[in-house]
Amino acid sequence: MLITIIAVSLVLGGLIFFHELGHFAVARSLGMGVSTFSLGFGPKILKRTWGKTEYALSLVPLGGYVALVGEQEDSELPEGFTREESFSLRPAWQRLLVVAAGPVANMLLAWLLCWILAFGWGTPLLLPQVGGLVENGPAAKAGVQAGDTIVRIDGQPIVAWDDMTRAIARSNGQPLSVELERPHKAAPNGAEGAAGEDGTPTDATSGQDSPPPSIMTVEIRPEMSVRKTIFGEDEKAWLVGIRNTGAVRLVQHGFWGSAAAGASQASDMLALTWKSFVKLVERVVPLDQVGGPIMIMQMVGKQAHEGIAGLLALAALISINLGVLNLLPIPVLDGGQIVFCLWEMIFRRPVNARVQEYAMRAGLALLVALMLLATYNDLWRIVKSAGWFGSGS
């Protein structure tokens, strides 16, 4: 329990800190005043003033805020600040930069975490190994067996499972020349795998070194079939009827190579997260899949007990989600404020104050509704897993 509490505090606190740091850093770089930088909401537990800004740790950890001087035109300026430092009196493009800096900071944090993962642990590469076959599928008819490794397709080297799927997709149903590597079969008595004194694998029936894997070439004609996407949708694709083993190889990188690999991983997370939000709006992903703070805490706690690498990867994914969520065009979120700034930049006048007020109320109501839905889903999952209403299966 203690490990979970510490992990949740560090992960959520770190993500919120970086988000608010983005707002703070850009505001200060543009000469805007910041009266308070708080990690958390509600009563302040700890606080200290450096320069003109009060830095605080507040009681409720689910959030944070940067109090900019003169956020509204009629706001009174705190003592020690001037009108030149007022946020509302700055050009729309400067206000847009400050507002957008929070989500951008979350994206940068995700990249840094992926960079650390790539440098410290490497990036996982799903191997093109056959774990199972569809009965009477193209691969099974061609003689492919579980345990085979795809080495080449039409003469092109296949290093990862993605290389193979892309080659099959490009085939448009034309026959493919597939080179396979088949491991040496175990002896009937199951004694295969013994080793000689030097560690070389031997065949237990003869005492000799095991023969190397067999290399063979087969011809496979992909078929147009229907498969499920990760969102549960049906999609048509050229398939050969094989499943992977799930085996991965960790690819090691140098310092700058890790930066590029981390950027690639972070961009994949961003694309998947954005698509998830789109599918949620399209009702492809059901609303009962929406999770809130309770589910996040459970996931963080689980990963904290399984290892630091998984925890860092989860933190990167949550950071991406936090950034994308804040970019949604809901007035109380950063995305809504960005829309207001863009309107002002395009039409040379701010959005009507009353329109902004009603939009903020509607946005707040929507955000509260989403939080209640997420919390309800979290609690209902706990109830079902406890088996209070059946087995929970």
Side-chain angles (χ1 to χ4, degrees):
M1 178 62 73
L2 180 60
I3 293 177
T4 298
I5 293 173
I6 294 173
V8 168
S9 300
L10 290 176
V11 170
L12 295 186
L15 299 184
I16 295 167
F17 172 77
F18 261 83
H19 181 92
E20 299 303 332
L21 182 63
H23 292 309
F24 175 83
V26 174
R28 293 301 301 127
S29 69
L30 293 173
M32 299 180 194
V34 177
S35 59
T36 305
F37 184 122
S38 175
L39 186 59
F41 294 110
K44 297 171 182 175
I45 303 173
L46 298 171
K47 60 182 180 179
R48 183 168 181 177
T49 301
W50 279 293
K52 298 180 182 180
T53 304
E54 178 185 75
Y55 300 86
L57 178 65
S58 300
L59 182 63
V60 183
L62 300 178
Y65 64 92
V66 169
L68 298 170
V69 171
E71 289 194 53
Q72 305 297 326
E73 290 188 16
D74 56 354
S75 300
E76 291 187 9
L77 297 179
E79 184 179 352
F81 290 96
T82 64
R83 283 179 56 82
E84 287 72 20
E85 297 174 284
S86 179
F87 172 79
S88 61
L89 299 181
R90 293 304 182 93
W93 68 268
Q94 290 191 9
R95 286 182 274 126
L96 186 149
L97 289 178
V98 173
V99 173
V104 170
N106 282 124
M107 308 298 180
L108 289 175
L109 176 60
W111 171 49
L112 290 174
L113 292 174
C114 289
W115 185 349
I116 293 171
L117 281 167
F119 186 69
W121 287 268
T123 52
L125 193 69
L126 184 61
L127 298 177
Q129 296 179 352
V130 180
L133 297 103
V134 175
E135 188 176 358
N136 295 321
K141 291 178 182 178
V144 179
Q145 298 179 8
D148 289 349
T149 297
I150 312 297
V151 178
R152 294 177 183 273
I153 295 181
D154 286 343
Q156 297 299 314
I158 301 298
V159 177
W161 185 267
D162 284 346
D163 297 336
M164 182 197 68
T165 57
R166 284 192 291 267
I168 294 171
R170 290 193 301 265
S171 71
N172 290 321
Q174 297 301 309
L176 296 171
S177 175
V178 180
E179 186 176 317
L180 306 173
E181 182 180 277
R182 180 166 296 169
H184 174 60
K185 295 295 182 182
N189 62 8
E192 171 72 22
E197 292 182 1
D198 61 353
T200 304
T202 62
D203 187 327
T205 59
S206 64
Q208 299 178 352
D209 291 352
S210 298
S214 304
I215 301 295
M216 61 189 66
T217 301
V218 298
E219 185 177 275
I220 304 176
R221 182 186 291 272
E223 295 178 350
M224 181 61 72
S225 304
V226 177
R227 65 182 178 187
K228 293 286 186 182
T229 68
I230 60 172
F231 301 106
E233 295 177 290
D234 290 335
E235 70 171 5
K236 290 185 176 181
W238 293 108
L239 303 174
V240 297
I242 62 174
R243 294 182 291 272
N244 62 63
T245 61
V248 298
R249 175 170 63 87
L250 291 177
V251 180
Q252 302 300 319
H253 306 277
F255 185 75
W256 295 114
S258 298
S264 177
Q265 283 189 309
S267 65
D268 289 343
M269 288 182 180
L270 177 58
L272 179 61
T273 300
W274 176 251
K275 187 175 289 188
S276 299
F277 274 95
V278 172
K279 296 300 180 183
L280 186 62
V281 172
E282 294 176 347
R283 299 299 302 276
V284 172
V285 176
L287 290 177
D288 61 7
Q289 296 301 304
V290 176
I294 297 175
M295 187 178 79
I296 292 174
M297 293 177 187
Q298 290 175 325
M299 294 171 64
V300 170
K302 182 174 181 292
Q303 289 298 329
H305 286 86
E306 293 183 357
I308 186 65
L311 184 61
L312 291 176
L314 178 60
L317 182 59
I318 297 173
S319 190
I320 290 282
N321 274 265
L322 182 60
V324 172
L325 176 64
N326 271 280
L327 285 175
L328 296 180
I330 300 175
V332 291
L333 298 177
D334 295 331
Q337 298 304 310
I338 290 173
V339 171
F340 289 155
C341 290
L342 288 173
W343 172 283
E344 185 174 343
M345 291 167 64
I346 295 170
F347 296 101
R348 305 290 180 173
R349 65 178 186 274
V351 177
N352 182 274
R354 180 167 294 183
V355 172
Q356 288 194 49
E357 181 183 352
Y358 286 135
M360 293 290 283
R361 291 179 181 179
L364 181 60
L366 177 60
L367 193 61
V368 169
L370 287 174
M371 287 298 296
L372 290 175
L373 172 65
T375 303
Y376 169 81
N377 288 343
D378 290 348
L379 294 174
W380 181 241
R381 275 188 284 266
I382 293 174
V383 169
K384 286 199 299 183
S385 65
W388 294 349
F389 295 93
S391 63
S393 60

